[in-house]
Amino acid sequence: MHAAAQLIRDARTSSGLTQAELGRRLGVTQAAVAQLERPDANPSVARLDEVLRALGQRLALAAQPVTGDIDETLIARNLRMSPSERLDAFETAHRELAELRSLMPDAG
């Protein structure tokens, strides 16, 4: 389910309201609320905030820095490789890691 639709549904159910009751608060029909809760719903931020305020909640947005956990350039490069090239790259990496491991002092 789309995040906005799930957010609306969760907020509505936690408030103990039916779709019809929320619709009355918003001045729309129950069907209009059902549309907002559909997986393909894509309400504007303003509309999402309006719906949440009708439920006694408010929308809080936050930006978070990209952590760099995923190197998308490596993914793209690997996807351009043929299966045999990927296997060769894996075997090379495995061999190099084994060599590095052999150079490390015993951890035990």
Side-chain angles (χ1 to χ4, degrees), residues 14-86:
S14 71
S15 297
L17 295 178
T18 65
Q19 289 180 341
E21 290 167 330
L22 176 56
R24 281 193 289 280
R25 287 187 183 189
L26 293 169
V28 301
T29 64
Q30 175 274 326
V33 174
Q35 287 285 20
L36 289 170
E37 293 184 1
R38 287 178 46 92
D40 60 345
N42 191 17
S44 68
V45 172
R47 183 63 172 158
L48 184 55
D49 185 55
E50 178 185 6
V51 172
L52 291 174
R53 285 183 184 274
L55 292 165
Q57 299 184 24
R58 67 184 180 109
L59 182 62
L61 299 175
Q64 298 177 340
V66 175
T67 61
D69 292 342
I70 299 173
D71 186 345
E72 292 181 13
T73 59
L74 282 176
I75 293 171
R77 186 192 75 201
N78 287 339
L79 288 173
R80 286 189 300 270
M81 291 179 174
S82 70
S84 65
E85 289 171 326
R86 286 186 207 152

Side-chain angles (χ1 to χ4, degrees), residues 80-98:
R80 286 189 300 270
M81 291 179 174
S82 70
S84 65
E85 289 171 326
R86 286 186 207 152
L87 183 56
D88 289 343
F90 172 78
E91 289 171 341
T92 299
H94 185 269
R95 186 176 54 254
E96 289 172 353
L97 285 172

